[in-house]
């Protein structure tokens, strides 16, 4: 994210892009910005409740449920593991696509699980043990469906009744040959009232890529002006043709399959720059003025389950249907959601921060599945950037920007061919190598210290120097930035090892880089000058 204290005038090209992507009006000429993808992950579900965003997600390996909390849509926020299933049993494995909901004053998480055999996937409901959405949850019920079922979502219709929609295998079809969408009325948040109505109807050709009989999943209800839409994912999630479709209940009879009509064309689909965009959810900007789509897409051009999460504003057509536009190319700088709080510019004494890495709450990880790639151990931060070097693992201090400052950290390279070091004056940090605007003081694989600038795509080396011999211990990096002068000191030296003058970036966040290398960071400090 870019602080509101930094003015970025949007070019005519960016204004045109915003219109192409479905913006109803030209974006503001300044203010916070962001770039996609915002973090590594999949199957995002975001709930805005009382001005706070909550995200439910599966832990890596689909072995537990994690809930995030944030005041920004561009940052998933702090997280806690809220549910770990039993080691064995019918609901012990493969917890997929969880959603967090607040119903009648109670927190619920809707997900699916099995015993390790996908054919036994069923819908389950977890109920919060307290009123804290980041507290513990307990198994409440299985939702009784006719058979295999995943990806449930719930909503309250205009008639006041609660409904559940999900993806399942139709009865009397070959297992795993097709997936349809079903809807049922609910007797309570933990019980279906039946019947299970198949509303998928005829499959369009673009819903059958990778699954000839068609695949519909990830249904998301969208209610507006008395109309009921379902936004859903279609085609194989492992393909680059994974996409989003839209269907609408045309007469208000939600349990009549003939009432549901699919739009003839995909609503959101691949481009030359974004592959397999699907399994999204819908939410609002912090001030409630804008509609936003949150979705995942593949990091591989041919499609795969290596996925990252993006956000994009959407609008409405003249006839009242959602208009998602086209996926913004990764790295494109876009206006942040309206009402999103800006980073605070730390410029006065008292803004010092000494981080012993007790936890990750101060940091925003932009990494490959953060709980496998980032951890805190023995007071140090460990980043496994080799898990997937294409993610360009970064961690950014939350909610703080600096102009003139001094920052230092001990960094130890463990394994890998990438660079590790200190990010500073950065904005628009996103998933991917070099995807940030700002500077890095980095230790490279060929044993050099470099001062580099990134424009979000390519690096420019401003200064560099060889290290004397290959260090077998951590390096102590210290960066001093004052105006356009940037200096990098090594191991407590009084004279900078390298320095440069550059007038591209004057404020921004501070962070850590471990792209394509396993690194350990310790003794981090930053203070304004």
């Amino acid at each position: 994210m870019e602080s509101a204290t930094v003015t970025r005038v949007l070019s005519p090209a960016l204004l045109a892009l915003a219109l192409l992507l479905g913006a109803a009006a030209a974006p503001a000429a300044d203010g916070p910005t962001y770039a996609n993808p915002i973090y590594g992950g999949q199957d995002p579900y975001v709930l805005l409740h009382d001005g706070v965003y909550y995200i439910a997600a599966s832990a890596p390996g689909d072995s537990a449920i994690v809930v995030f909390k944030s005041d920004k849509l561009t940052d998933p926020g702090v997280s806690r593991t809220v549910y770990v299933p039993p080691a064995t049993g019918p609901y012990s494995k493969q917890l997929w696509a969880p959603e967090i909901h607040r119903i009648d004053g109670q927190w619920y998480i809707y997900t699916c699980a099995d015993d390790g055999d996908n054919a036994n996937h069923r819908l389950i409901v977890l109920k919060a043990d307290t009123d804290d959405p980041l507290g513990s949850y307990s198994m409440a019920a299985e939702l009784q469906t006719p058979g295999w079922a995943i990806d449930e979502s719930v909503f309250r219709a205009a008639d006041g009744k609660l409904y559940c929609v999900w993806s399942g295998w139709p009865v009397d079809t070959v297992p795993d040959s097709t997936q349809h969408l079903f809807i049922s009325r609910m007797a309570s948040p933990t019980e279906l009232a039946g019947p299970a109505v198949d509303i998928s109807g005829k499959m369009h050709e673009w819903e059958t890529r990778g699954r000839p009989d068609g695949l519909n999943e990830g249904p998301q209800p969208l209610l507006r002006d008395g109309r009921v839409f379902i936004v859903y994912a279609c085609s194989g999630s492992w393909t680059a043709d994974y996409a989003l479709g839209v269907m609408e209940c045309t007469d208000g009879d939600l349990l009549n399959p003939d009432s549901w009509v699919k739009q003839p064309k995909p609503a959101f689909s691949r481009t030359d720059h974004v592959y397999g965009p699907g399994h999204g959810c819908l939410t609002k900007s912090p001030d409630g003025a804008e509609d936003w789509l949150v979705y995942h897409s593949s990091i591989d051009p041919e499609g795969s389950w290596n996925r990252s999460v993006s956000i994009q504003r959407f609008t409405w057509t003249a006839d009242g249907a959602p208009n998602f536009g086209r996926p913004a190319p990764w790295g494109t700088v876009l206006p942040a959601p309206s009402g999103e709080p800006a980073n605070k510019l730390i410029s006065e004494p008292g803004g010092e921060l000494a981080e012993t890495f007790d936890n990750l709450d101060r940091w925003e990880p932009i990494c490959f599945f953060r709980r496998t790639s980032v951890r805190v151990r023995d007071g140090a931060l460990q980043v496994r950037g080799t898990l997937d070097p294409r993610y360009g693992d970064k961690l950014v201090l939350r909610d703080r920007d600096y102009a003139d400052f001094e920052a230092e950290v001990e960094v130890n390279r463990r394994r890998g061919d990438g660079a590790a070091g200190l990010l500073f004056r950065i904005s628009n940090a996103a998933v991917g190598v070099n995807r940030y605007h700002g500077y890095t003081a980095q230790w490279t694989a060929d044993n050099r210290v470099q001062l580099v600038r990134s424009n979000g795509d390519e690096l420019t080396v401003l200064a560099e120097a060889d290290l004397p011999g290959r260090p077998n211990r951590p390096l102590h990096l210290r960066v001093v930035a004052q105006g356009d002068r940037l200096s990098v000191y090594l191991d407590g030296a009084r004279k900078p090892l390298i320095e440069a003058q550059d007038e591209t970036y004057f404020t921004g966040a501070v962070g850590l880089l471990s792209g394509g290398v396993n690194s350990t960071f310790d003794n981090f400090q930053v203070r304004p000058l």
Side-chain angles (χ1 to χ4, degrees):
M1 290 76 61
E2 182 179 37
S3 167
T5 61
V6 181
T7 300
R8 181 181 298 277
V9 178
L10 298 180
S11 67
L14 183 54
L15 292 174
L17 176 62
L19 292 173
L20 174 66
L21 298 175
D30 56 15
T33 57
Y34 77 99
N36 284 323
I38 56 175
Y39 63 93
Q42 59 191 10
D43 301 339
Y45 185 83
V46 181
L47 174 70
L48 179 61
H49 176 74
D50 288 345
V52 177
Y53 291 102
Y54 297 96
I55 302 175
S58 297
D62 303 320
S63 58
I65 302 295
V66 179
V67 173
F68 296 78
K69 178 181 180 180
S70 179
D71 61 356
K72 296 181 179 181
L73 187 57
T74 55
D75 175 5
V78 302
S79 66
R80 299 290 183 268
T81 299
V82 301
Y83 178 75
V84 178
T88 60
Y91 317 114
S92 59
K93 305 290 190 301
Q94 301 189 91
L95 280 68
W96 291 353
E99 295 191 2
I100 184 169
H101 290 263
R102 179 79 168 175
I103 303 174
D104 298 332
Q106 174 69 48
W107 291 102
Y108 295 94
I109 292 176
Y110 292 84
T111 186
C112 61
D114 62 31
D115 57 1
D117 181 354
N118 174 47
N120 295 325
H121 251 118
R122 298 295 186 271
L123 308 183
I124 63 171
V125 186
L126 310 177
K127 185 177 180 180
D129 298 323
T130 69
D131 198 42
D132 179 4
L134 270 65
S136 63
Y137 287 69
S138 298
M139 175 72 181
E142 176 191 334
L143 297 179
Q144 298 297 320
T145 61
W148 186 92
I150 63 170
D151 294 356
E152 74 262 48
S153 189
V154 299
F155 69 101
R156 196 175 296 280
D159 60 8
K161 297 175 182 178
L162 200 63
Y163 291 83
C164 179
V165 289
W166 69 93
S167 175
W169 294 344
V171 176
D172 297 329
T173 60
V174 176
D176 214 17
S177 63
T178 186
Q179 288 174 225
H180 289 201
L181 299 182
F182 295 82
I183 188 170
S184 175
R185 195 166 62 80
M186 303 188 77
S188 73
T190 59
E191 183 182 0
L192 299 182
V197 178
D198 187 337
I199 59 172
S200 267
K202 180 182 177 181
M203 295 282 181
H204 297 295
E205 186 276 333
W206 46 267
E207 300 176 85
T208 66
R209 311 286 174 80
R211 186 70 82 218
D213 290 335
L215 190 155
N216 292 169
E217 62 186 13
Q220 293 295 301
L222 180 59
L223 282 64
R224 185 175 187 260
D225 295 338
R227 297 171 68 176
V228 181
F229 302 92
I230 290 179
V231 181
Y232 63 97
C234 53
S235 285
S237 60
W238 56 93
T239 72
D241 292 312
Y242 200 47
L244 293 178
V246 174
M247 64 171 63
E248 182 181 4
C249 182
T250 56
D251 60 7
D253 188 355
L254 300 178
L255 298 180
N256 180 2
D258 295 329
S259 300
W260 292 93
V261 176
K262 292 180 176 179
Q263 290 185 357
K265 296 181 179 180
F268 199 67
S269 56
R270 66 175 295 176
T271 68
D272 291 340
H273 304 283
V274 179
Y275 324 112
H279 205 125
C281 69
L282 303 315
T283 189
K284 291 279 190 177
S285 57
D287 61 7
E290 298 171 348
D291 295 298
W292 284 76
L293 169 68
V294 185
Y295 66 96
H296 75 225
S297 56
S298 173
I299 203 165
D300 299 304
E302 68 275 13
S304 73
W305 287 326
N306 297 319
R307 298 181 284 207
S308 56
V309 173
S310 296
I311 63 172
Q312 188 163 310
R313 185 185 174 191
F314 73 93
T315 56
W316 301 83
T317 64
D319 63 359
N323 174 26
F324 297 115
R326 303 184 70 200
W330 288 0
T332 302
V333 177
L334 297 169
S338 62
E340 180 157 297
N343 288 353
K344 181 180 179 181
L345 181 61
I346 308 297
S347 58
E348 302 295 332
E352 299 85 358
L353 179 64
E355 175 60 68
T356 57
F357 301 119
D358 292 331
N359 56 53
L360 291 175
D361 287 356
R362 288 191 181 274
W363 300 89
E364 177 189 354
I366 305 169
C367 297
F368 175 82
F369 294 117
R370 55 182 288 174
R371 287 183 173 267
T372 55
S373 58
V374 181
R375 68 173 180 173
V376 173
R377 184 174 183 179
D378 298 329
L381 180 70
Q382 299 179 346
V383 184
R384 298 173 64 196
T386 58
L387 284 178
D388 196 324
R390 296 168 299 176
Y391 281 75
D393 289 3
K394 297 172 282 288
L395 293 96
V396 180
L397 268 181
R398 284 197 168 98
D399 302 327
R400 288 171 166 249
D401 280 352
Y402 292 86
D404 292 350
F405 70 94
E406 178 182 44
E408 55 189 296
V409 68
E410 282 187 4
V411 56
N412 195 8
R413 295 175 52 91
R414 300 292 188 184
R415 181 172 64 88
D417 296 328
L422 189 69
L423 297 158
F424 61 99
R425 289 183 176 175
I426 70 163
S427 60
N428 306 310
V431 170
V433 178
N434 304 337
R435 280 220 179 91
Y436 63 94
H437 294 86
Y439 305 102
T440 307
Q442 62 184 24
W443 178 10
T444 67
D446 59 357
N447 219 32
R448 299 173 69 80
V449 173
Q450 294 180 328
L451 181 60
V452 301
R453 181 186 68 223
S454 176
N455 64 2
D457 181 32
E458 296 179 338
L459 295 184
T460 299
V461 177
L462 303 177
E464 60 182 344
D466 290 322
L467 288 172
R470 175 170 290 278
N472 56 9
R473 56 179 174 77
L475 289 183
H476 186 275
L477 290 175
R478 181 166 68 95
V479 171
V480 177
Q482 291 184 293
D484 64 354
R485 182 166 292 278
L486 313 173
S487 304
V488 180
Y489 299 77
L490 191 65
D491 291 336
R494 298 175 63 87
K495 181 180 179 181
L497 176 69
I498 53 176
E499 56 185 347
Q501 286 184 272
D502 192 82
E503 298 183 344
T504 308
Y505 307 109
F506 284 94
T507 62
V510 174
L512 304 170
L513 170 71
S514 187
V517 60
N518 293 350
S519 306
T520 300
F521 299 91
D522 205 353
N523 299 319
F524 171 84
Q525 297 182 57
V526 60
R527 64 182 181 90
L529 298 177

